[in-house]
Amino acid sequence: MTKIIAVANQKGGVGKTTTAVNLAASLAATRRRVLLVDLDPQGNATMGCGVDKRLLERSVTDVLMGDCNAADAILTIEAAGLDLLPSNQDLTAAEVRLLTMLAGREHRLEKALEPVRDRYDLVIIDCPPALNILTVNALTAADSVLIPMQCEYYALEGLSGLVSTIEQIRDSVNPKLEIEGILRTMFDPRNNLSNDVSAQLIEHFGDRVFRTIIPRNVRLAEAPSFGVPAMLHDKESRGALAYLALAGEMSRRAEEPVAIPPELGTGS
């Protein structure tokens, strides 16, 4: 059965796109059929897979607006062993058009993915760094949410707001939505604040926090400029190995759904 995972955090610069691209590639390396959906108008996941967003004939915008089927816009990324539904700046205009729709606007992505969903074992959605209508579409279509975050004060402050939004989506349009897990990214164990925030995360969220930690790593930062996931840029790098470890941890946890803690459901 296909699982759809939204990679979401309203705060930018937390490694969200890096996580979406490298997790998708790592899961594909385990012989799973993976679709990566770029739902960010910046198109960074698209570029990170080696696709020039400026030259797209069709994109997720056309799919959301009903101008073409998802199957017609999906590209095969042979080097990474995955499929990609690409994005570019046109998605900004689509966001505005979605806001003018009177009904069903939050279900556009869900309905668009339905005809192709069974082709894949996993669908990974890279969300924009905002709690906007595009992110709502992703959360409505998803089975779970993976939350990448840096271990710093402001990121911790914003987490309760994101959890509250997830709970609202769950109550209104997607009762099956769960938290896949919280992923600590760009982690530097020499930083006392990082260690303190990490400890607070574990205290409040327990096993909802992935054991795998993504370190600060030059190879991870370099890979997008080469248009490949880190495992294709340098498979022995700490960053590439960390995302492979995350894919393994997620596979082991697959039979144990992670629910939203009741005390956080109200954003308290």
Side-chain angles (χ1 to χ4, degrees), residues 219-231:
R219 296 302 191 201
L220 274 180
E222 289 177 346
S225 66
F226 290 90
V228 294
M231 61 181 296

Side-chain angles (χ1 to χ4, degrees), residues 59-100:
S59 70
V60 69
T61 300
D62 301 297
V63 175
L64 287 174
M65 294 298 99
D67 296 329
C68 75
N69 297 322
D72 297 326
I74 289 173
L75 304 175
T76 298
I77 310 300
E78 294 185 4
L82 55 83
D83 284 356
L84 170 71
L85 183 53
S87 171
N88 57 22
Q89 66 276 6
D90 292 344
L91 192 52
T92 300
E95 180 183 354
V96 175
R97 291 174 62 187
L98 284 172
L99 290 171
T100 65

Side-chain angles (χ1 to χ4, degrees), residues 35 42 53 73 75 83 100 133-134 140 167 170 173 175 182 206 224 237 239 247 266:
L35 171 65
Q42 297 177 86
K53 63 184 179 183
L75 304 175
D83 284 356
T100 65
I133 189 62
L134 296 174
T140 301
E167 182 64 22
R170 194 178 181 193
V173 293
I182 298 170
S237 67
T266 59

Side-chain angles (χ1 to χ4, degrees), residues 8-26:
N9 192 323
Q10 74 271 32
K11 189 176 185 302
V14 298
K16 179 180 53 59
T17 297
T18 296
T19 293
V21 171
N22 287 286
L23 176 60
S26 296

Side-chain angles (χ1 to χ4, degrees), residues 91-263:
L91 192 52
T92 300
E95 180 183 354
V96 175
R97 291 174 62 187
L98 284 172
L99 290 171
T100 65
M101 295 180 180
L102 298 178
R105 58 189 181 186
E106 68 273 13
H107 292 281
R108 300 289 291 193
L109 181 63
E110 179 185 21
K111 292 181 178 178
L113 292 177
E114 193 60 37
V116 299
R117 178 171 180 158
D118 290 342
R119 300 182 186 181
Y120 302 98
D121 300 309
L122 289 146
V123 177
I124 307 295
I125 306 174
D126 182 30
C127 299
L131 296 178
N132 56 19
I133 189 62
L134 296 174
T135 300
V136 169
N137 261 264
L139 297 180
T140 301
D143 299 300
S144 63
V145 188
L146 191 157
I147 306 172
M149 64 172 287
Q150 283 182 268
C151 289
E152 58 182 31
Y153 177 74
Y154 287 124
L156 190 61
E157 279 288 290
L159 183 57
S160 61
L162 178 57
V163 171
S164 178
T165 298
I166 293 169
E167 182 64 22
Q168 291 174 33
I169 296 292
R170 194 178 181 193
D171 289 342
S172 58
V173 293
N174 186 3
K176 69 180 185 298
L177 187 63
E178 299 169 340
I179 291 181
E180 184 72 24
I182 298 170
L183 177 67
R184 292 162 288 178
T185 60
M186 293 181 273
F187 191 84
D188 185 350
R190 299 169 297 179
N191 187 314
N192 289 335
L193 177 60
S194 294
N195 289 312
D196 289 345
V197 172
S198 178
Q200 290 183 53
L201 280 175
I202 294 171
E203 179 183 350
H204 290 290
F205 289 90
D207 60 5
R208 296 171 183 85
V209 180
F210 287 109
R211 293 183 178 180
T212 302
I213 296 175
I214 309 301
R216 284 194 177 275
N217 182 248
V218 173
R219 296 302 191 201
L220 274 180
E222 289 177 346
S225 66
F226 290 90
V228 294
M231 61 181 296
L232 296 180
H233 178 50
D234 183 353
K235 65 180 180 180
E236 300 298 331
S237 67
R238 291 169 61 236
L241 293 173
Y243 278 109
L244 284 169
L246 175 63
E249 182 177 355
M250 289 176 65
S251 298
R252 291 190 297 273
R253 291 171 51 165
E255 302 303 319
E256 302 175 9
V258 180
I260 296 173
E263 69 274 13

